[in-house]
Amino acid sequence: MQLSSNSGLAHRATLLDLAPGEEATLLELDLPDEVAHRLMILGFVPGSTVAYARSAPGGDPRVYRVDGADVALRGETARQIRLNRQM
Amino acid sequence: MSDCHAGPAALASTSVTGITSSAHKTIALVGPPNAGKTTLFNRLTGLRQKVANYPGVTVEYHAGRIHSPGGRVVDLIDLPGIYSLDPRSEDERVTRDLLRGEMAGVPRPDAVLLILDVTSLSRHLVVAAPVLALGLPTLVVLNMADDLRGRGGELKTEDLSQRLGVPVVLASAAKGEGLEPIFEFVDGTLAVPRPPESPFPILQTLPPVLNDVPQCRAWAARVSQGAWKAPQPSLWSRRLDALFLHPLAGPLVFALTLVAVFQAIFTGAAPLMDGVEGIIAGFGKWVAATLPQSAWRNLLTEGIIGGVGSVLVFLPQILLLFLFIGILEDSGYLARAALIADRTMVRFGLQGKSFIPLLSAYACAVPAIMATRTIEDKRDRIATILIAPFMTCSARLQVYALVIAAFIPERPVLGPLLGTRAAAMIGLYVLGFVAALLTARVLKSSILRSDGTPFLIELPSYRWPTLRSLGLRLYDRALVFLKRAGTIILAVSVGLWIIAHLPLTDGKPPQIRDSVAGAIGRTVEPLIQPLGFNWKIGIGLITSLAAREVIVGTLGTIYGIESEGEDTQGLGKALQKDLTPGGAVALLVFFAFAMQCMSTVAVVKRETGGWKWPAVQFGYMTGLAYVCAFAANRIVTAWLG
């Protein structure tokens, strides 16, 4: 939620905003090419539906369900994945 | 492996696919991680396999033989698991070069077995696009057919095969179902599904940019549409995750698993180890009684049976450890354990990708250090290489087991669940792990500082480990263990026995204390006396520079010579006379930290491209071992007073 950003995307929700069990459509990955590539191969492609399944004990990393697979990533990565949904 | 003249062009016009010539051919097994590649490889080749290295690169591969019912014999090579043919990691580069025939010294494979997980087809097809575009004769094996059925998914094999333009088979490598077409492919009798006027010629429907993931995904969706129905998510996996990743139950299960494994390694292996010890002792007595008195007989009983035999005793324990590692890995629990451990790893500046190499370092640091090549960040990779030898490898297990059993009486700590010996063993595993983490912390906040790459891990569905795959793992490990016992430990035992009998005076060997070996031990004695070690331990420390467990064989040989064919007491009992409790703890601490393993030094040199890092690592680990062993000896001696 960088208020200083001048793109309209600043107010978009990210994966971190999803409640357990909630799902949303993925909009874009604001991550270095290398990481974005790996995430896309695992199913995090813009337009796909992602659901927040649960977190590991202690709250991080978090398990997301995408394309029938469970993938775990840290909060710092989830924060950079924007959803097609306003806050 | 040398003949590779029948290129793919020669096959394009034939009506069957697979291997067409009767000459000796090679098939490459390609697929993404977690698709069941290794299971299929083991299924097809059984025990006819070997591990090898490509010339000039560090990537290891398994090669095996398939004997088809049609009488064909082909080589199957198991390539590293890949998500794409983009050369982003060394694994991917090797796979791409090999499949294109661009790897020097390795002929291009004649055909490809592409294995994909049919329950994740929409993702795994992304790998298919660049592999099919290579134009090699390809058979697509859609694995985990049983899982697909069980979870209500469907696949129309014919439709998918038509669209891909290559034969497709639905199989279950774990259950051994649907493998017949693979043998037909090997025999060259598998029919090509595609008439020349196919409405979906593969090369025209492939996405234009093969490394663009969204395009590949769109292509995969088109190809699988109507032919594939995604399975329901595995309810069992969700239920188990609710337990294993539960905020309270999760860490508890994690800790209990650890405790149970170590307790089982001690108590479960004990009768087996006693059995092996009994057999070896009986064999030694039989040899002593049967052969006439001679130096050769003594070399055999004291040097070889005493040295190699003391190490062989630990085979049941090692196999039990690998059985548990195999169950945890094959069931899918290990990925969850990585998740639970991640928070701790972050605090020490390590990334998730370091976790898997560190876990495999519990078996052996050598494959662990080779596994670090999946880490793209160079600094992260070096940090992981430097700390991997701190993880308690299976060679240390033998030394720990010997010293703990000799010096720590077995008493219950947590009722019948955990005894003092297993607790001590867990303590040593934790000690190595803590040393690794603290070292990482220091490295990552100084000379190897970098922004970590994020932790990403796919959680596979839980599966029952199959007896077959566990059996193969144990067979593999047993072979490695026996090979070491038969080469390095045998050589050191024989060499040591000889220098322990020199110099001869009037044709008679000296007391071991006055022998060449004894002199060497007594030379280093002043250096190691502050740690509570005498010259016999000193000889063991020197020989164990080759490999840690050699000390067990060395002490076996030394005590074998000392007892001179009299009733050999257990190695543990003999050790009690030579070590104080303080010295015993110091010995454990020394082995927890010191880098006594030539194979590890060699692999670090190869992977880091020079002597700098292995020299730093050896100096640091040995220094740390010395200082901590010294402190341990002082503290325990003062405490016992």
Side-chain angles (χ1 to χ4, degrees), chain B residues 381-403:
Chain B
R381 178 163 181 233
I382 290 189
T384 311
I385 288 176
L386 292 183
I387 64 170
F390 275 119
M391 310 304 276
T392 304
C393 67
S394 56
R396 283 191 180 101
L397 175 67
Q398 301 163 51
V399 183
Y400 291 174
L402 172 68
V403 178

Side-chain angles (χ1 to χ4, degrees), chain B residues 524-533 583 586 626 629-634 637:
Chain B
V524 295
E525 196 172 26
L527 189 66
I528 55 174
Q529 207 157 28
L531 313 185
F533 307 155
Y626 189 89
F630 175 78
N633 181 31
R634 282 298 169 90
T637 307

